[in-house]
């Protein structure tokens, strides 16, 4: 069994049973992000308190990589300080998937990350320390 097969199984598992899928009523921030190359979308919602991601949910309409990446991201950031989340790199996100992706598929994998970073920056600009 190769690593690719293992990681493909992880993507498939998150795609079949995405974690934290859904909406948050009255979130602190929400955003709709579109992948310009395919038109697929993700709506993302967060509740932020004491400088941490208290809750994160999303509704993704996209390919298996975009949904799985959002699912893995949501698990990884829930409870984390927002400054730590801002310190995450695109390479961290792509590394979680464990697959070498081409540029088009990287956009799929980074859709949720881009949405989350924009929301945190918006939150910080509205709530300066
Ligand atoms: Fe549209 Fe992947 S093909 S998000």
């Amino acid at each position: 069994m190769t690593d690719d097969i293992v990681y493909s199984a992880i993507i498939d598992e998150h795609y079949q049973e995405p974690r934290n899928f859904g909406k948050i009523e009255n979130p602190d921030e929400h955003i709709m992000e579109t992948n310009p190359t395919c038109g697929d979308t993700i709506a993302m919602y967060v509740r932020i308190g004491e400088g941490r991601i208290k809750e994160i949910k999303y509704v993704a309409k996209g390919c298996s990589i975009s949904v799985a990446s959002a699912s893995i991201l949501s698990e990884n950031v829930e409870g984390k300080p927002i400054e730590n989340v801002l310190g995450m790199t695109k390479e961290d996100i792509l590394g979680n998937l464990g697959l070498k992706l081409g540029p088009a598929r990287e956009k799929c994998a980074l859709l949720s990350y881009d949405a989350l970073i924009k929301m945190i920056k918006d939150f910080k600009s509205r709530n300066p320390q």
Side-chain angles (χ1 to χ4, degrees), residues 35 38 40 62-63 66 105 108 111:
N35 183 343
C38 63
D40 289 335
C63 65
S66 68
R105 293 311 228 163
C108 304
L111 191 60

Side-chain angles (χ1 to χ4, degrees), residues 99-119:
L99 287 174
K100 181 89 182 98
L101 300 172
R105 293 311 228 163
E106 282 190 1
K107 281 190 171 40
C108 304
L110 295 171
L111 191 60
S112 52
Y113 165 82
D114 289 341
L116 180 58
I117 295 300
K118 282 182 188 172
M119 281 194 298

